Amino acid sequence: MTQPPQTQRYATLSMTLHWLMLALFVGVYACIEIKGLLPRGHALKGVFLGAHSLFGIGIFVLVWLRLLGRLAPRPAILPRPPLWQTAASHLMHLALYALMVVTPLLAWLMLNAAGKPLPYFEFALPTLVAPDPDLAKQFKHWHEWLGSSGYWLIGLHAGAGLFHHYWVRDNTLVRMLPARFGR
């Protein structure tokens, strides 16, 4: 009896969560950018901010499933990349996971420190810090800074996938695509 070939792709759940997270990030960034374009006092500002919050909470919830999924074996990159690329990949993933955990957590702390509840549908999430306007400003600063850095992190991550696919011609990108899209 022969061994089945080593899997060349991530599991369907991993792929689904990866691309769902991308959709949530598009929603987070689209909502905050559109809100910023609206004039002060516009009725839709609150709607976009609320949607931004819901997408952010979705990222925060799903990232824990993604982190659990990291415990499962991952398909190898073939041909094997140089050690420096593997190290850079690990640093990039660490930064992306930090973005997905810390940014929503900072928003939660910011709202708590501003004395505002963090509603999630019918539930109000617990308060983590007492109201403190100065602390709220600090949390807001770090939330916005980290959110802005997310544009770069996500762009570099996507660029690296495309670089590996079209220039290096390895299976880095294909491993995260359903079979019907890959080689």
Side-chain angles (χ1 to χ4, degrees), residues 9-31:
R9 297 183 193 282
Y10 281 92
T12 302
L13 180 60
S14 292
M15 283 189 253
T16 302
L17 286 172
H18 179 272
W19 296 108
L20 179 57
M21 295 295 266
L22 174 62
L24 290 170
F25 268 111
V26 167
V28 160
Y29 285 116
C31 286

Side-chain angles (χ1 to χ4, degrees), residues 6 15 35 75 117 140 146 178:
Q6 180 184 4
M15 283 189 253
K35 177 193 164 284
K140 181 178 181 183
L146 197 52

Side-chain angles (χ1 to χ4, degrees), residues 9 14 21 29 43 45-46 50 69 71 73 76 86 92 95 108 115 119 126 132 142 149 152 165:
R9 297 183 193 282
S14 292
M21 295 295 266
Y29 285 116
K45 274 188 170 277
L71 299 174
T86 301
M92 174 58 74
W108 189 351
D132 180 340
W142 287 108
S149 71
W152 290 98
H165 188 72

Side-chain angles (χ1 to χ4, degrees), residues 81-134:
L83 188 58
W84 71 269
Q85 286 182 6
T86 301
S89 167
H90 291 314
L91 285 174
M92 174 58 74
H93 283 101
L94 180 65
L96 285 166
Y97 281 104
L99 175 75
M100 292 183 272
V101 170
V102 176
T103 309
L105 187 57
L106 285 168
W108 189 351
L109 292 166
M110 173 186 66
L111 289 171
N112 286 175
K116 298 177 183 174
L118 183 60
Y120 189 65
F121 295 107
E122 297 295 320
F123 306 100
L125 298 177
T127 300
L128 302 177
V129 297
D132 180 340
D134 292 331

